[in-house]
């Protein structure tokens, strides 16, 4: 058995003032109640909320405070994320990994901001993988990243056994995201630690999922601190023998015969995607995608024949309306 104790903190997040002192207080309470905790994960944008007007350059005093807290409590700390203002003026949704010595060992910029709603947020391109000595390999993704299985595919192909997933989901798709978290655990034979906030930070329902897609804990809609001892040997056993002795998913992917041309942007395989219209927020009364003809019959050609100039809503090209 390779045990490791991870605690999620689901807390109320305000949008118009700092939540940093609240995070510090909850961390003190957590460690006083559950001193065996070895890693603590807060929700996405927990420190300053969802408004990027509060973006800060990295490093900053808040990060240094979190480093002091990790050192004081001798824990690994992922303090959710915060908006980072880069030197070139771009804004990223950025998380850090702090070790028990108070060192920032990894910085991760969210790859998939929730566009078009986060149109002003830039995308990161580097993956976050780190080792906890004597325990195992961990990876970090943020909220909407998990909707793109390629992100977890990359992490687990590099040996990640625990996916840490800070979330800010306050929308009606939270139940879908919970299903995705469970599916991710099964598809990639890993633990998923999914931590949402409350108030301006989300609707809660944080959860911890093991590699069999079994939910070890799920929060409701109130504040919650949930330390869970996971077993990394369970991951290794299942990856060797299969989920519940059944599907050996990672090895099957490794031994595949197929290559996926959709990942070659020059292949044309993904030409259909150019017909879906711009990445934009729907407006009142929008008819986009409604009552349209089949694109193959309307355009008189197969999807692989689409060209970039076809990147308009199909109903507009076919009927001239809208």
């Amino acid at each position: 058995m390779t045990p490791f104790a991870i605690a999620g903190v689901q807390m109320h997040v305000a949008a118009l003032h700092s939540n940093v002192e609240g995070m510090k207080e909850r961390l003190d309470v957590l460690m006083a109640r559950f001193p065996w905790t070895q890693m603590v994960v807060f929700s996405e944008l927990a420190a300053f909320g969802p408004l990027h007007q509060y973006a800060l350059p990295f490093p900053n005093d808040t990060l240094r405070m979190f480093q002091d807290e990790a050192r004081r409590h001798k824990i690994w700390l992922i303090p959710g994320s915060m908006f980072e203002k880069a030197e070139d003026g771009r804004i990223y949704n950025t998380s850090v990994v702090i070790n028990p010595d108070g060192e920032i060992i990894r910085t991760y910029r969210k790859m998939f901001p929730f566009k078009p709603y986060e149109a002003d947020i830039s995308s990161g391109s580097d993956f976050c993988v780190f080792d906890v000595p004597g325990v195992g390999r961990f990876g970090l993704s943020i909220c909407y990243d998990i909707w793109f299985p390629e992100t977890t595919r990359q992490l687990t192909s590099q040996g990640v056994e625990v996916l840490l997933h800070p979330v800010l989901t306050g929308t009606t798709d939270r139940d879908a995201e919970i299903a995705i978290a469970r599916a991710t655990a099964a598809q990639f034979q890993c633990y998923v630690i999914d931590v949402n906030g409350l108030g301006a930070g989300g609707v809660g329902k944080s959860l911890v999922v093991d590699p069999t897609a079994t939910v070890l804990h799920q929060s409701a809609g109130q504040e919650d601190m949930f330390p869970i001892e996971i077993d990394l040997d369970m991951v290794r056993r299942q990856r060797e023998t299969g989920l519940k002795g059944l599907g050996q998913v990672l090895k099957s992917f490794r031994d595949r015969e197929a290559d996926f041309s959709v990942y070659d942007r020059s292949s044309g395989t993904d030409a259909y995607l150019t017909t879906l219209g711009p990445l934009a927020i729907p407006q009142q009364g929008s008819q986009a995608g409604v009552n349209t003809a089949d694109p193959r019959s309307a355009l008189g050609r197969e999807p692989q024949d689409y060209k970039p100039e076809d990147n308009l809503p199909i109903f507009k090209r076919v009927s001239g309306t809208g």
Side-chain angles (χ1 to χ4, degrees), residues 286-297:
S286 171
Q287 291 295 301
V290 178
N291 297 324
T292 62
D294 182 271
R296 289 169 293 185
S297 60

Side-chain angles (χ1 to χ4, degrees), residues 169-218:
T169 302
T171 45
T172 55
D173 57 351
R174 179 57 180 158
D175 284 345
E177 191 168 68
I178 290 170
I180 290 170
R182 292 192 64 191
T184 295
Q187 285 178 298
F188 300 104
Q189 298 177 289
C190 64
Y191 283 96
V192 176
I193 316 296
D194 180 281
V195 184
N196 199 11
L198 298 168
V203 295
K205 301 182 183 178
S206 301
L207 71 160
V208 178
V209 190
D210 79 6
T212 70
T214 299
V215 175
L216 301 181
H217 173 79
Q218 182 165 349

Side-chain angles (χ1 to χ4, degrees), residues 14-288:
L16 299 178
H17 60 77
S18 170
N19 303 289
V20 174
E21 282 302 313
M23 294 172 71
K24 181 177 180 296
E25 290 173 6
R26 287 166 178 80
L27 187 57
D28 287 343
V29 171
L30 170 69
M31 295 309 298
R33 293 182 63 197
F34 310 109
W36 43 272
T37 300
Q38 295 164 279
M39 175 182 284
V40 179
V41 183
F42 284 86
S43 61
E44 178 187 17
L45 300 174
F48 296 105
L51 303 180
H52 67 267
Q53 68 195 55
Y54 299 112
L56 293 171
F58 278 31
N60 54 61
D61 289 342
T62 297
L63 289 178
R64 283 186 279 271
M65 188 278 289
F66 287 133
Q67 290 178 262
D68 290 341
E69 290 302 299
R71 186 183 305 112
R72 182 164 68 91
H73 290 295
K74 297 180 174 57
I75 57 170
W76 292 82
L77 178 60
I78 291 83
S81 67
M82 64 180 73
F83 286 122
E84 171 199 3
K85 188 170 185 178
E87 291 183 1
D88 61 5
R90 287 190 288 181
I91 296 175
Y92 297 91
N93 185 341
T94 304
S95 185
V96 297
V97 178
I98 306 171
N99 71 14
D101 294 324
E103 302 165 330
I104 295 177
I105 64 161
R106 294 289 185 276
T107 299
Y108 174 68
R109 291 170 167 172
K110 186 177 181 179
M111 288 189 174
F112 288 95
F114 191 49
K115 295 182 179 182
Y117 294 90
E118 293 181 337
D120 295 331
I121 309 304
S122 297
S123 301
S125 58
D126 295 329
F127 289 89
C128 180
V129 176
F130 66 97
D131 291 331
V132 173
V135 178
R137 181 157 289 184
F138 291 67
L140 178 63
S141 69
I142 299 175
C143 202
Y144 200 38
D145 289 339
I146 204 173
W147 287 67
F148 303 87
E150 296 83 358
T151 61
T152 312
R153 173 74 68 197
Q154 180 88 7
L155 293 171
T156 53
S157 293
Q158 295 180 69
V160 163
E161 299 165 307
V162 181
L163 179 66
L164 307 172
H165 188 233
V167 174
L168 191 167
T169 302
T171 45
T172 55
D173 57 351
R174 179 57 180 158
D175 284 345
E177 191 168 68
I178 290 170
I180 290 170
R182 292 192 64 191
T184 295
Q187 285 178 298
F188 300 104
Q189 298 177 289
C190 64
Y191 283 96
V192 176
I193 316 296
D194 180 281
V195 184
N196 199 11
L198 298 168
V203 295
K205 301 182 183 178
S206 301
L207 71 160
V208 178
V209 190
D210 79 6
T212 70
T214 299
V215 175
L216 301 181
H217 173 79
Q218 182 165 349
S219 306
Q222 71 279 340
E223 294 218 356
D224 193 14
M225 300 177 182
F226 46 97
I228 301 287
E229 185 178 85
I230 64 173
D231 179 12
L232 278 293
D233 279 357
M234 181 181 184
V235 178
R236 294 154 198 162
R237 171 73 172 167
Q238 289 220 152
R239 288 180 173 179
E240 182 62 30
T241 65
L243 190 155
K244 299 183 178 180
L246 301 170
Q248 299 178 26
V249 190
L250 297 189
K251 289 193 284 185
S252 293
F253 181 80
R254 179 199 65 195
D255 297 344
R256 70 190 184 279
E257 294 292 335
D259 286 324
F260 300 101
S261 58
V262 68
Y263 295 114
D264 176 2
R265 297 190 185 194
S266 65
S267 70
T269 304
D270 63 349
Y272 163 74
L273 300 181
T274 67
T275 72
L276 297 180
L279 184 59
I281 297 174
Q283 301 300 308
Q284 289 182 343
S286 171
Q287 291 295 301

